[in-house]
PDB file of all heavy atoms in Angstrom:
ATOM      1  N   VAL Y 146      23.211-190.773 -34.213  1.00 97.00           N
ATOM      2  CA  VAL Y 146      21.972-190.328 -34.927  1.00 97.00           C
ATOM      3  C   VAL Y 146      22.367-189.466 -36.096  1.00 97.00           C
ATOM      4  O   VAL Y 146      21.768-189.522 -37.194  1.00 97.00           O
ATOM      5  CB  VAL Y 146      21.028-189.633 -33.919  1.00 97.00           C
ATOM      6  CG1 VAL Y 146      19.976-188.810 -34.720  1.00 97.00           C
ATOM      7  CG2 VAL Y 146      20.403-190.624 -32.984  1.00 97.00           C
ATOM      8  N   ASP Y 147      23.394-188.629 -35.886  1.00 97.00           N
ATOM      9  CA  ASP Y 147      23.769-187.752 -37.030  1.00 97.00           C
ATOM     10  C   ASP Y 147      24.318-188.580 -38.163  1.00 97.00           C
ATOM     11  O   ASP Y 147      24.021-188.326 -39.319  1.00 97.00           O
ATOM     12  CB  ASP Y 147      24.885-186.789 -36.535  1.00 97.00           C
ATOM     13  CG  ASP Y 147      25.418-185.940 -37.671  1.00 97.00           C
ATOM     14  OD1 ASP Y 147      24.617-185.343 -38.338  1.00 97.00           O
ATOM     15  OD2 ASP Y 147      26.664-185.930 -37.817  1.00 97.00           O
ATOM     16  N   PHE Y 148      25.096-189.665 -37.896  1.00 97.00           N
ATOM     17  CA  PHE Y 148      25.609-190.569 -38.971  1.00 97.00           C
ATOM     18  C   PHE Y 148      24.415-191.162 -39.677  1.00 97.00           C
ATOM     19  O   PHE Y 148      24.384-191.229 -40.890  1.00 97.00           O
ATOM     20  CB  PHE Y 148      26.493-191.642 -38.365  1.00 97.00           C
ATOM     21  CG  PHE Y 148      26.908-192.639 -39.402  1.00 97.00           C
ATOM     22  CD1 PHE Y 148      27.942-192.401 -40.239  1.00 97.00           C
ATOM     23  CD2 PHE Y 148      26.151-193.839 -39.532  1.00 97.00           C
ATOM     24  CE1 PHE Y 148      28.307-193.381 -41.232  1.00 97.00           C
ATOM     25  CE2 PHE Y 148      26.516-194.769 -40.545  1.00 97.00           C
ATOM     26  CZ  PHE Y 148      27.594-194.518 -41.379  1.00 97.00           C
ATOM     27  N   ILE Y 149      23.439-191.687 -38.930  1.00 97.00           N
ATOM     28  CA  ILE Y 149      22.278-192.336 -39.576  1.00 97.00           C
ATOM     29  C   ILE Y 149      21.527-191.341 -40.414  1.00 97.00           C
ATOM     30  O   ILE Y 149      21.203-191.608 -41.578  1.00 97.00           O
ATOM     31  CB  ILE Y 149      21.355-192.946 -38.492  1.00 97.00           C
ATOM     32  CG1 ILE Y 149      22.045-194.062 -37.695  1.00 97.00           C
ATOM     33  CG2 ILE Y 149      20.107-193.465 -39.153  1.00 97.00           C
ATOM     34  CD1 ILE Y 149      21.294-194.580 -36.559  1.00 97.00           C
ATOM     35  N   ARG Y 150      21.192-190.164 -39.844  1.00 96.00           N
ATOM     36  CA  ARG Y 150      20.357-189.242 -40.590  1.00 96.00           C
ATOM     37  C   ARG Y 150      21.089-188.637 -41.796  1.00 96.00           C
ATOM     38  O   ARG Y 150      20.508-188.494 -42.821  1.00 96.00           O
ATOM     39  CB  ARG Y 150      19.923-188.115 -39.641  1.00 96.00           C
ATOM     40  CG  ARG Y 150      18.797-188.602 -38.694  1.00 96.00           C
ATOM     41  CD  ARG Y 150      18.064-187.458 -38.083  1.00 96.00           C
ATOM     42  NE  ARG Y 150      16.776-187.862 -37.589  1.00 96.00           N
ATOM     43  CZ  ARG Y 150      16.022-187.159 -36.791  1.00 96.00           C
ATOM     44  NH1 ARG Y 150      16.497-185.996 -36.328  1.00 96.00           N
ATOM     45  NH2 ARG Y 150      14.850-187.582 -36.406  1.00 96.00           N
ATOM     46  N   SER Y 151      22.386-188.227 -41.562  1.00 95.00           N
ATOM     47  CA  SER Y 151      23.077-187.564 -42.663  1.00 95.00           C
ATOM     48  C   SER Y 151      23.601-188.520 -43.684  1.00 95.00           C
ATOM     49  O   SER Y 151      23.373-188.344 -44.881  1.00 95.00           O
ATOM     50  CB  SER Y 151      24.237-186.705 -42.101  1.00 95.00           C
ATOM     51  OG  SER Y 151      23.739-185.761 -41.203  1.00 95.00           O
ATOM     52  N   TYR Y 152      24.323-189.562 -43.198  1.00 95.00           N
ATOM     53  CA  TYR Y 152      24.978-190.436 -44.184  1.00 95.00           C
ATOM     54  C   TYR Y 152      23.999-191.459 -44.702  1.00 95.00           C
ATOM     55  O   TYR Y 152      23.794-191.615 -45.886  1.00 95.00           O
ATOM     56  CB  TYR Y 152      26.202-191.080 -43.543  1.00 95.00           C
ATOM     57  CG  TYR Y 152      26.953-191.919 -44.564  1.00 95.00           C
ATOM     58  CD1 TYR Y 152      27.852-191.231 -45.427  1.00 95.00           C
ATOM     59  CD2 TYR Y 152      26.802-193.230 -44.706  1.00 95.00           C
ATOM     60  CE1 TYR Y 152      28.502-191.982 -46.422  1.00 95.00           C
ATOM     61  CE2 TYR Y 152      27.523-194.018 -45.659  1.00 95.00           C
ATOM     62  CZ  TYR Y 152      28.319-193.340 -46.512  1.00 95.00           C
ATOM     63  OH  TYR Y 152      29.018-194.018 -47.483  1.00 95.00           O
ATOM     64  N   ALA Y 153      23.452-192.311 -43.772  1.00 95.00           N
ATOM     65  CA  ALA Y 153      22.641-193.467 -44.298  1.00 95.00           C
ATOM     66  C   ALA Y 153      21.353-192.891 -44.908  1.00 95.00           C
ATOM     67  O   ALA Y 153      20.870-193.515 -45.886  1.00 95.00           O
ATOM     68  CB  ALA Y 153      22.305-194.366 -43.126  1.00 95.00           C
ATOM     69  N   ASP Y 154      20.787-191.836 -44.399  1.00 94.00           N
ATOM     70  CA  ASP Y 154      19.515-191.425 -44.873  1.00 94.00           C
ATOM     71  C   ASP Y 154      19.645-190.330 -45.878  1.00 94.00           C
ATOM     72  O   ASP Y 154      19.303-190.517 -47.076  1.00 94.00           O
ATOM     73  CB  ASP Y 154      18.605-191.017 -43.714  1.00 94.00           C
ATOM     74  CG  ASP Y 154      17.103-191.279 -44.023  1.00 94.00           C
ATOM     75  OD1 ASP Y 154      16.884-192.140 -44.846  1.00 94.00           O
ATOM     76  OD2 ASP Y 154      16.273-190.565 -43.475  1.00 94.00           O
ATOM     77  N   ARG Y 155      20.089-189.137 -45.508  1.00 92.00           N
ATOM     78  CA  ARG Y 155      20.070-187.983 -46.451  1.00 92.00           C
ATOM     79  C   ARG Y 155      20.929-188.295 -47.677  1.00 92.00           C
ATOM     80  O   ARG Y 155      20.580-188.014 -48.785  1.00 92.00           O
ATOM     81  CB  ARG Y 155      20.479-186.743 -45.750  1.00 92.00           C
ATOM     82  CG  ARG Y 155      19.482-185.561 -45.992  1.00 92.00           C
ATOM     83  CD  ARG Y 155      19.892-184.247 -45.397  1.00 92.00           C
ATOM     84  NE  ARG Y 155      20.539-184.344 -44.141  1.00 92.00           N
ATOM     85  CZ  ARG Y 155      19.959-184.331 -42.928  1.00 92.00           C
ATOM     86  NH1 ARG Y 155      18.699-184.121 -42.880  1.00 92.00           N
ATOM     87  NH2 ARG Y 155      20.628-184.392 -41.808  1.00 92.00           N
ATOM     88  N   PHE Y 156      22.122-188.889 -47.468  1.00 94.00           N
ATOM     89  CA  PHE Y 156      22.999-189.134 -48.541  1.00 94.00           C
ATOM     90  C   PHE Y 156      22.674-190.418 -49.299  1.00 94.00           C
ATOM     91  O   PHE Y 156      22.325-190.359 -50.500  1.00 94.00           O
ATOM     92  CB  PHE Y 156      24.457-189.248 -47.978  1.00 94.00           C
ATOM     93  CG  PHE Y 156      25.483-189.627 -48.945  1.00 94.00           C
ATOM     94  CD1 PHE Y 156      25.850-188.764 -50.016  1.00 94.00           C
ATOM     95  CD2 PHE Y 156      26.151-190.818 -48.830  1.00 94.00           C
ATOM     96  CE1 PHE Y 156      26.808-189.175 -50.922  1.00 94.00           C
ATOM     97  CE2 PHE Y 156      27.173-191.151 -49.710  1.00 94.00           C
ATOM     98  CZ  PHE Y 156      27.483-190.395 -50.774  1.00 94.00           C
ATOM     99  N   HIS Y 157      22.657-191.524 -48.615  1.00 95.00           N
ATOM    100  CA  HIS Y 157      22.465-192.826 -49.309  1.00 95.00           C
ATOM    101  C   HIS Y 157      20.982-193.101 -49.732  1.00 95.00           C
ATOM    102  O   HIS Y 157      20.694-193.391 -50.878  1.00 95.00           O
ATOM    103  CB  HIS Y 157      22.978-193.972 -48.467  1.00 95.00           C
ATOM    104  CG  HIS Y 157      22.739-195.296 -49.041  1.00 95.00           C
ATOM    105  ND1 HIS Y 157      23.480-195.842 -50.047  1.00 95.00           N
ATOM    106  CD2 HIS Y 157      21.760-196.253 -48.739  1.00 95.00           C
ATOM    107  CE1 HIS Y 157      23.024-197.061 -50.391  1.00 95.00           C
ATOM    108  NE2 HIS Y 157      22.020-197.310 -49.608  1.00 95.00           N
ATOM    109  N   HIS Y 158      20.094-192.972 -48.772  1.00 88.00           N
ATOM    110  CA  HIS Y 158      18.698-193.246 -49.134  1.00 88.00           C
ATOM    111  C   HIS Y 158      18.145-192.240 -50.102  1.00 88.00           C
ATOM    112  O   HIS Y 158      17.272-192.513 -50.897  1.00 88.00           O
ATOM    113  CB  HIS Y 158      17.797-193.345 -47.883  1.00 88.00           C
ATOM    114  CG  HIS Y 158      18.125-194.628 -47.110  1.00 88.00           C
ATOM    115  ND1 HIS Y 158      17.741-194.803 -45.788  1.00 88.00           N
ATOM    116  CD2 HIS Y 158      18.701-195.772 -47.480  1.00 88.00           C
ATOM    117  CE1 HIS Y 158      18.111-196.012 -45.403  1.00 88.00           C
ATOM    118  NE2 HIS Y 158      18.740-196.579 -46.415  1.00 88.00           N
ATOM    119  N   ALA Y 159      18.654-190.964 -50.039  1.00 83.00           N
ATOM    120  CA  ALA Y 159      18.183-190.005 -51.009  1.00 83.00           C
ATOM    121  C   ALA Y 159      18.647-190.394 -52.416  1.00 83.00           C
ATOM    122  O   ALA Y 159      17.874-190.204 -53.391  1.00 83.00           O
ATOM    123  CB  ALA Y 159      18.699-188.601 -50.643  1.00 83.00           C
ATOM    124  N   LYS Y 160      19.862-190.882 -52.565  1.00 92.00           N
ATOM    125  CA  LYS Y 160      20.329-191.366 -53.854  1.00 92.00           C
ATOM    126  C   LYS Y 160      19.321-192.469 -54.376  1.00 92.00           C
ATOM    127  O   LYS Y 160      19.008-192.423 -55.551  1.00 92.00           O
ATOM    128  CB  LYS Y 160      21.695-192.042 -53.744  1.00 92.00           C
ATOM    129  CG  LYS Y 160      22.864-191.126 -54.171  1.00 92.00           C
ATOM    130  CD  LYS Y 160      24.093-191.964 -54.078  1.00 92.00           C
ATOM    131  CE  LYS Y 160      25.376-191.133 -54.215  1.00 92.00           C
ATOM    132  NZ  LYS Y 160      26.570-191.863 -53.785  1.00 92.00           N
TER     133      LYS Y 160
END
Side-chain angles (χ1 to χ4, degrees):
Chain Y
V146 166
D147 175 52
F148 173 83
I149 296 173
R150 285 197 159 165
S151 300
Y152 187 80
D154 210 26
R155 233 184 320 268
F156 174 66
H157 176 76
H158 288 162
K160 262 183 190 167

